[in-house]
């Protein structure tokens, strides 16, 4: 079943502009991107802007110190005088746009930029802009782990809202045939990267986005090229996805144990394989996943067949797990595969369970676990991380607390001197272990 003729979905100018944008970063963000709390939400001139109501102003060595008990923040902003800070705060009342507030404040452009850059997302907010996006798609459902909405790249949030709306509107037609499903997925990829306007560019965190660029809607047809007959291969070219133990060696072993799985490194099937390989320039050999190639229509037929039953079966989770694992391993696009896969998963979970999931590290686990084991782990993820709460603030806070506990437990787990000691920790802290998808999976086989 060969692929049909695939026509470009974006015009040449957009394709060139996005490719240049994707390659323009200073380099891959690294693993810390997923866990470091940083402001990534863009403030726009038309946003209504509101400062925390209790900000105290005091001199600092390089400018001004701003603090707010209510916002739990204290910040030194260099290059801004206390008087200029007071003027800025006086007009940041939620009734003026950022442009209007700057114009009426009397603060110099340089001081204004320094003030806004230093406080936005911690003492200074754009609640209407965040609320509008939150209504389109909850921020906690488009990130790996819940956090402040100001940690989400605004273009990504806007684009994923468009993807979410397209899934809700067009999924039935997209499931009509294998060809229709392929066209549907390609359209979602375009929305994820350039939005409805074709100009809302988003660069995924994947290092591939920095190295290879790409065109929205185009499939990744290239295969993984390896050399060598020994246990460690030489990676020559093509797509590869990091398949290391993201939670540490103890966590990975426990995950395999409690899902009654085995290591899949070195095994090969229709969904690709994990190999131990090293490319020229790599510091050392590491586990890498090579997606199945050549890519053809059978892969999209399998994805469609896995997803469709989740809409009507009594328990949608096995079908969703099979679909998600297969999508991640098929890796049909150069990047943004997890975002698209989870948009489809979360649509079904919203319809069937009342809410969607944060992305967690499910895509990494899908590369290393067998299908049966991944179904069990996926069910644990839903049990531990799906929170239905109409109060979106309390829902976010609940998920943030679970994230804090999960990260803390992973640190403690990694510090244990042996696997047996790690098992003891799991028995002592079963609720926290469930948050890293370990303990509750025991006995599910």
């Amino acid at each position: 079943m060969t692929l049909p003729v695939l026509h470009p979905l974006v015009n040449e100018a957009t394709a060139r502009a996005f490719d240049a944008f994707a390659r323009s970063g200073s380099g891959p963000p690294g693993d810390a991107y997923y866990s470091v709390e940083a402001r990534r939400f863009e403030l726009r001139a038309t946003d209504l802007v509101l400062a925390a109501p209790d900000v105290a102003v005091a001199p600092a060595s390089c400018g001004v110190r701003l603090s707010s008990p209510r916002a739990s923040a204290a910040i030194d902003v260099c290059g801004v005088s206390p008087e200029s800070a007071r003027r800025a705060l006086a007009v940041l009342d939620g009734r003026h746009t950022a442009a209007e507030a700057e114009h009426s404040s009397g603060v110099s452009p340089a001081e204004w930029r320094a003030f806004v850059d230093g406080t936005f997302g911690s003492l200074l907010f754009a609640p209407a802009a965040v609320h509008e996006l939150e209504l389109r798609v909850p921020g906690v459902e488009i990130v790996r782990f819940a956090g402040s909405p100001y940690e989400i790249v605004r273009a990504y949030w806007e684009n994923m809202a468009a993807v979410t709306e397209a899934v809700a509107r067009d999924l039935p037609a997209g499931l009509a045939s294998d060809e229709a499903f392929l066209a549907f997925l390609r359209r979602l990829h375009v929305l994820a990267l350039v939005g409805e306007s074709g100009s809302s560019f988003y660069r995924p965190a994947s290092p591939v986005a920095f190295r290879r660029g790409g065109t929205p809607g185009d499939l990744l047809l290239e295969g993984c090229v390896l050399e060598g007959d020994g246990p460690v291969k030489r990676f020559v070219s093509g797509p590869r996805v990091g398949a290391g133990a993201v939670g540490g060696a103890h966590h990975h072993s426990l995950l395999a144990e409690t899902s009654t799985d085995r290591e899949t490194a070195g095994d090969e099937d229709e969904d690709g394989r994990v190999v131990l390989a090293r490319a020229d320039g790599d510091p050392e050999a590491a586990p890498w996943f090579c997606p199945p190639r050549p890519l053809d229509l059978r892969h999209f037929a399998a994805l469609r067949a896995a997803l469709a039953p989740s809409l009507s079966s009594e328990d949608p989770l096995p079908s969703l797990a099979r679909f998600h694992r297969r999508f991640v391993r098929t890796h049909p696009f150069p990047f943004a595969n997890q975002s698209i896969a989870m948009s489809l998963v979360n649509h079904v979970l919203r319809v069937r369970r009342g809410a969607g999931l944060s992305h967690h590290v499910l895509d990494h686990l899908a590369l290393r676990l067998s299908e049966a084991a991944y179904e069990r782990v996926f069910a644990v993820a839903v049990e531990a991380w799906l929170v239905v709460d109409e109060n979106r603030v309390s829902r976010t806070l609940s998920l943030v607390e679970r994230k804090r506990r999960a990260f803390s437990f992973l640190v403690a787990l990694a510090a244990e001197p042996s696997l047996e000691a790690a098992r003891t920790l799991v028995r002592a802290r079963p609720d926290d272990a469930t948050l890293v998808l370990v303990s509750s999976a025991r006995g599910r086989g």
Side-chain angles (χ1 to χ4, degrees), residues 6-54:
L6 301 177
H7 299 288
L9 296 187
V10 297
N11 61 46
E12 186 176 346
T14 299
R16 286 199 308 268
F18 179 81
D19 185 69
F21 169 79
R23 298 173 187 268
S24 65
S26 58
D31 293 340
Y33 181 89
Y34 300 121
S35 57
V36 170
E37 297 177 359
R39 190 258 294 174
R40 303 180 182 97
F41 194 89
E42 171 197 1
L43 176 65
R44 296 175 182 167
T46 55
D47 290 333
L48 296 173
V49 190
L50 175 67
D54 60 341

Side-chain angles (χ1 to χ4, degrees), residues 90-153:
V91 295
L92 294 167
D93 55 7
R95 296 175 298 186
H96 297 86
T97 66
E100 292 168 343
E102 178 180 5
H103 178 74
S104 62
S105 68
V107 175
S108 71
E111 284 189 292
W112 182 266
R113 285 194 299 273
F115 179 85
V116 170
D117 287 345
T119 60
F120 185 59
S122 53
L123 295 171
L124 182 63
F125 309 99
V130 168
H131 181 67
E132 179 182 348
L133 287 169
E134 182 72 20
L135 290 178
R136 295 180 67 190
V137 58
V140 297
E141 295 180 12
I142 61 172
V143 295
R144 288 193 180 272
F145 296 98
S148 164
Y150 296 94
E151 296 174 21
I152 305 174
V153 176

Side-chain angles (χ1 to χ4, degrees), residues 279-351:
D280 296 342
D282 286 352
E284 58 186 2
W288 294 96
F289 178 79
C290 292
R293 293 298 183 272
L295 196 64
D296 59 44
L297 193 59
R298 287 174 298 178
H299 293 96
F300 298 94
L303 289 172
R304 173 175 166 250
L307 178 63
S310 68
L311 295 167
S312 57
S313 61
E314 183 176 345
D315 181 5
L317 300 190
S319 294
L320 286 178
R322 288 192 292 272
F323 166 77
H324 182 259
R325 178 182 180 274
R326 188 175 290 270
F327 194 111
V328 170
R329 294 172 69 91
T330 302
H331 204 83
F333 302 107
F335 35 74
N337 291 284
Q338 169 73 336
S339 296
I340 295 170
M342 286 301 297
S343 290
L344 289 158
V345 167
N346 278 339
H347 168 73
V348 177
L349 288 175
R350 288 185 205 105
V351 172

